[in-house]
Amino acid sequence: MTPNFDLKDAASARIIVAMSGGVDSSVVAALAARTGAEVIGVTLQLYDHGEAVKRSGSCCAGQDIYDAKTVCDRLGIAHYVLDYESRFRTGVIDKFADEYAAGRTPVPCSLCNQGVKFVDLIAFARDLGADCLATGHYVRRVKREGRVELWKGRDPSRDQSYFLYGTTPDQLNYLRFPLGDLPKSEVRKLATEEGLIVADKPDSQDICFVPDGDYAGLVKRLRPETAAPGEIVDLEGRVLGEHQGVVHFTIGQRRGIEVGGQPEPLYVVRIEPEAQRLVVGPRRALAVAAARVEGINWLAEDQVQVEAKVRSLARAVAGRWDGEKLTFAAPEYGVAPGQSAVFYDGERLLGGGTIVATESAAIEEAVAA
């Protein structure tokens, strides 16, 4: 299989491939090499946390850089490593910690794509005179009616469009996503056919810079104030118990609220970081009628009627966008400030932004009554 990299003359073209050291980007490099173009693999060193060097399931660290180089040697292509650790720390890790400290639910993968992975890496690729930058994201780049659009990946279980809402039209014109039509099984099959050492390598986790999956531990090290104990109160402000730091909680969480004697399970409804207070309530208190969204990026036209996702693995739901607020057609759960609200028209990604506030459906219903 040789996908179309949308190049006028592949034989005289130069393709830069963003290589994380995983199977997806390695297969992209192999597919690019099949076109006859000059291919250069580029790996960003983004962090280095001791055990992350040897741990399977990471990306952009010691072992992964070695794997990317080994794949490039196998394919007979050049390989560069760029040290972006400082930029990644300030642009992604510090912002991740700040968001948690503010009681919000961050999406670091979107920050990474909007920063070092696209802005900085595209600039580097253009400096090298490359015709395009190819990545291993499971999304589709579709040319239709004289314009380039970004669509969901063909395989719903692998679709990564949610994290790419910040892509600009200019960036999309330069980017290529050759895996968008493929299931993961086919990608691993291609890696095996090419004799790549990463064919069976486990997938990287969503938040790659947390080596042990302990997000709270990372945030506590960077923002110690988040570990201070505080009150757990109900919706009326009655004290129910005490927690051991807001860093351990996100909105919608049930685990860890150790309050007994309640008539129904309790969930985190609101986090008040200045007071180190958790506000908890029954699941119905999590129902959201609308969300205010800022920092909107439109990759397509600004539409009123949209389908929206507020989490990467959530289904898209019907909503109305008025330029400032996304109103859901039916109450939506799992919506929190800090998350991305991403808009679609069927398979086509329209754009998105960051949720900064929500309106409770329970409050709206009470007002209507």
Side-chain angles (χ1 to χ4, degrees):
M1 174 186 174
T2 304
N4 179 12
F5 277 78
D6 192 22
L7 299 169
K8 291 182 179 180
D9 182 9
S12 62
R14 175 178 291 168
I15 301 174
I16 302 297
V17 179
M19 300 187 67
S20 66
V23 62
D24 298 327
S25 58
S26 296
V27 167
V28 169
L31 294 174
R34 289 184 184 183
T35 67
E38 178 189 3
V39 181
I40 300 173
V42 177
T43 302
L44 304 180
Q45 180 177 329
L46 300 181
Y47 62 91
D48 190 4
H49 295 307
E51 66 270 28
V53 173
K54 298 180 180 179
R55 184 180 60 84
S56 298
S58 64
C59 75
C60 308
Q63 181 63 45
D64 310 295
I65 294 172
Y66 174 81
D67 289 344
K69 180 184 184 304
T70 302
V71 167
C72 288
D73 289 344
R74 168 74 180 180
L75 298 174
I77 64 176
H79 179 244
Y80 295 158
V81 179
L82 305 182
D83 183 358
Y84 278 19
E85 188 169 346
S86 177
R87 299 188 200 187
F88 187 73
R89 183 172 58 252
T90 58
V92 179
I93 297 178
D94 284 348
K95 288 184 178 179
F96 174 83
D98 288 341
E99 287 290 281
Y100 254 99
R104 294 188 285 266
T105 305
V107 185
C109 295
S110 295
L111 286 175
C112 184
N113 288 326
Q114 293 172 36
V116 294
K117 279 193 178 175
F118 281 178
V119 175
D120 294 337
L121 191 48
I122 285 178
F124 177 79
R126 283 178 164 151
D127 285 345
L128 288 184
D131 296 274
C132 66
L133 170 67
T135 81
H137 289 97
Y138 285 85
V139 293
R140 287 176 287 164
R141 180 181 179 274
V142 177
K143 298 184 76 172
R144 190 176 67 145
E145 298 177 356
R147 67 181 181 187
V148 181
E149 300 174 344
L150 188 59
W151 287 38
K152 295 177 182 178
R154 184 81 66 182
D155 182 352
S157 68
R158 303 300 306 177
D159 170 49
Q160 294 174 304
S161 60
Y162 177 83
F163 301 110
L164 300 183
Y165 75 86
T167 307
T168 67
D170 180 61
Q171 290 171 345
L172 186 57
N173 281 327
Y174 194 70
L175 290 163
R176 301 294 187 272
F177 307 107
L179 304 187
D181 284 306
L182 302 179
K184 185 74 175 196
S185 58
E186 180 64 19
V187 171
R188 292 200 181 276
K189 179 181 177 182
L190 288 168
T192 300
E193 291 175 358
E194 291 285 346
L196 305 183
I197 64 168
V198 295
D200 297 319
K201 187 174 182 177
D203 292 336
S204 61
Q205 62 184 35
D206 284 345
I207 303 181
C208 61
F209 56 85
V210 185
D212 54 5
D214 182 9
Y215 312 144
L218 173 68
V219 176
K220 282 193 290 186
R221 290 195 298 274
L222 297 176
R223 305 292 182 268
E225 68 276 11
T226 61
E231 295 177 337
I232 301 175
V233 304
D234 65 15
L235 298 173
E236 284 72 43
R238 292 187 292 265
V239 178
L240 303 179
E242 185 178 89
H243 64 80
Q244 297 305 310
V246 294
V247 67
H248 298 289
F249 299 90
T250 56
I251 291 175
Q253 182 173 325
R254 178 182 174 187
R255 180 178 52 82
I257 304 175
E258 298 178 357
V259 176
Q262 301 301 310
E264 53 189 317
L266 297 176
Y267 299 79
V268 177
V269 176
R270 189 169 67 253
I271 299 174
E272 299 175 352
E274 295 83 3
Q276 297 292 343
R277 184 183 298 120
L278 292 182
V279 180
V280 300
R283 185 176 183 275
R284 59 181 174 277
L286 293 172
V288 168
R292 185 158 59 89
V293 185
E294 295 183 352
I296 290 287
N297 175 70
W298 288 109
L299 191 53
E301 66 277 8
D302 183 343
Q303 292 189 186
V304 174
Q305 299 300 326
V306 298
E307 295 172 293
K309 292 178 70 169
V310 295
R311 298 179 309 284
S312 62
L313 298 179
R315 63 184 180 87
V317 298
R320 185 180 188 279
W321 172 249
D322 65 7
E324 294 183 357
K325 183 171 67 175
L326 169 65
T327 301
F328 299 103
E332 182 71 3
Y333 292 81
V335 187
Q339 291 175 326
S340 300
V342 181
F343 306 142
Y344 295 87
D345 179 3
E347 295 291 295
R348 182 166 58 113
L349 187 148
L350 301 174
T354 302
I355 297 170
V356 296
T358 60
E359 295 180 8
S360 171
I363 294 175
E364 294 294 310
E365 291 169 1
V367 171

